[in-house]
């Protein structure tokens, strides 16, 4: 499951409930967990002193979920360790991982909006809404989600896969890119495809979306069919791009990623 659990209801409040919470505890941008990768109890965090942030960010069933954060450099208390969120993928339970991902995005937003971007005054966080409000000019700043498209292009039994210079060596994936202000998602898919590999495509088919908290993306994935053009990898962005037969694929992204689910979906369809 690559999403917040269905029984999770998001909310945002600076008013903390009395009930025992699920604790999403963060020092700097590292997550505090037990050595066997479970979320810490509230009592285990007592030694850390007054947190920088302590807010309610939703409920898992009836259990309140609290984002509690301390500044970088704070020492982890006895019995807990700090780990990056990426490293916790597949080790922290699914529910805990995706609620942690939400916590991390909200924390990044809170830290990035301590002052008003218009007039510079220190902001105040609304009591029951994820909004940082400027007391001087009333400007309101909400958490940002950045849409990014992903597209897997096919030509007969072949898939167009590419690698960017920051991928693990040998790994190829579907194309991806951020939506520009003013642009539709569909236009973005066509534009990015042309920019990254120089081919034209048709018949975009919706696949699925996935939140990606590094730092605040929402991946929106499509299948598409090739029309025309020879592959010309975009300099600086695409290290290599090729057509791969579904029976001779390179190393692919991790099974948990939406890219891999998209590729597996195409393979199943083409083999079926
Ligand atoms: Zn202001």
């Amino acid at each position: 499951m690559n999403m917040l659990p269905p029984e999770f209801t998001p909310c945002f409040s600076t008013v903390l409930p009395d009930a025992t919470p699920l604790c999403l505890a963060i020092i700097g941008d590292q997550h505090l967990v037990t050595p066997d990768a479970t979320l810490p109890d509230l009592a285990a965090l007592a030694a850390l002193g007054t947190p920088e942030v302590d807010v309610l960010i939703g409920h898992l069933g009836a259990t309140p979920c609290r984002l509690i954060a301390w500044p970088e450099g704070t020492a982890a208390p006895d019995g807990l360790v700090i780990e990056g969120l990426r490293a916790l993928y597949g080790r922290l339970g699914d529910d805990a991982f995706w609620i942690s991902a939400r916590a991390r995005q909200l924390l990044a937003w809170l830290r990035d909006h301590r002052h008003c971007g218009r007039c510079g005054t220190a902001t105040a966080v609304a009591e029951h809404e994820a909004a940082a409000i400027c007391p001087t000019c009333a400007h309101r700043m909400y958490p940002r989600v950045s849409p990014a498209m992903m597209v897997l292009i096919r030509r007969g039994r072949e898939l167009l896969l590419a690698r960017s210079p920051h991928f693990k060596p040998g790994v190829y994936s579907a194309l991806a890119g951020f939506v520009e202000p003013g642009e539709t998602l569909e236009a973005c898919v066509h534009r990015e495809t042309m920019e990254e590999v120089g081919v034209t495509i048709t018949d975009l088919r919706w696949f699925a979306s996935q939140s990606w908290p590094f730092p605040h993306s929402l991946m929106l994935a499509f299948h598409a069919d090739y029309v025309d053009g020879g592959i010309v990898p975009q300099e600086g962005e695409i290290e290599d791009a090729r057509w791969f037969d579904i029976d001779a694929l390179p190393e692919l992204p991790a099974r948990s990623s939406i890219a891999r689910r998209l590729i597996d979906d195409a393979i199943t369809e083409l083999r079926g």
Side-chain angles (χ1 to χ4, degrees):
M1 188 182 66
N2 283 287
M3 54 188 224
L4 284 165
E7 59 275 26
F8 180 83
T9 312
C11 73
F12 185 90
S13 180
T14 57
V15 180
L16 301 173
D18 292 330
T20 304
L22 207 64
C23 296
L24 298 313
I26 302 178
I27 289 179
D29 61 0
Q30 304 270 299
H31 294 246
L32 266 172
V33 292
T34 62
D36 56 349
T38 61
L39 296 178
D41 292 334
L42 189 58
L45 304 171
L48 283 163
T50 308
E52 167 197 352
V53 169
D54 189 354
V55 291
L56 178 69
I57 62 165
H59 292 87
L60 181 62
T63 307
C65 301
R66 265 163 73 177
L67 157 62
I68 314 175
W70 291 265
E72 193 167 353
T74 306
D78 286 349
L80 296 178
V81 294
I82 53 170
E83 295 212 43
L85 188 58
R86 278 177 200 267
L88 286 168
Y89 196 96
R91 291 171 51 223
L92 203 58
D94 263 356
D95 289 4
F97 179 86
W98 289 103
I99 301 169
S100 297
R102 170 172 166 77
R104 181 200 185 81
Q105 290 183 66
L106 287 167
L107 180 60
W109 160 70
L110 285 164
R111 284 179 172 155
D112 288 350
H113 294 86
R114 285 173 174 149
H115 291 88
C116 176
R118 288 189 180 161
C119 75
T121 306
T123 57
V125 177
E127 212 170 83
H128 293 296
E129 184 189 12
I133 302 168
C134 174
T136 303
C137 75
H139 178 45
R140 297 167 77 87
M141 289 142 276
Y142 301 101
R144 185 163 40 143
V145 176
S146 303
M149 74 83 201
M150 174 170 286
V151 65
L152 179 62
I153 304 162
R154 57 174 93 166
R155 181 178 75 177
R157 283 171 50 87
E158 295 175 310
L159 306 178
L160 201 170
L161 300 175
R163 52 172 285 109
S164 101
H166 68 262
F167 282 10
K168 222 176 78 181
V171 172
Y172 283 72
S173 186
L175 304 179
F178 284 104
V179 179
E180 285 283 335
E183 186 175 52
T184 64
L185 188 52
E186 295 83 350
C188 170
V189 176
H190 288 280
R191 176 184 55 76
E192 284 283 351
T193 299
M194 179 51 71
E195 285 176 8
E196 291 190 352
V197 292
V199 307
T200 54
I201 54 172
T202 188
D203 195 15
L204 298 188
R205 300 180 295 285
W206 173 247
F207 174 62
S209 64
Q210 181 179 292
S211 170
W212 192 241
F214 306 103
H216 41 63
S217 299
L218 178 64
M219 298 300 307
L220 304 144
F222 293 86
H223 290 292
D225 292 327
Y226 170 77
V227 175
D228 197 25
I231 295 173
V232 182
Q234 183 180 17
E235 217 170 300
E237 293 284 320
I238 303 291
E239 197 174 87
D240 188 28
R242 300 183 209 175
W243 293 105
F244 291 95
D245 186 274
I246 54 167
D247 287 327
L249 292 168
E251 193 179 339
L252 299 173
R255 290 205 175 274
S256 49
S257 66
I258 191 166
R260 180 58 175 273
R261 285 162 54 217
L262 181 66
I263 294 166
D264 286 349
D265 188 62
I267 294 170
T268 305
E269 228 180 274
L270 289 169
R271 290 210 170 118

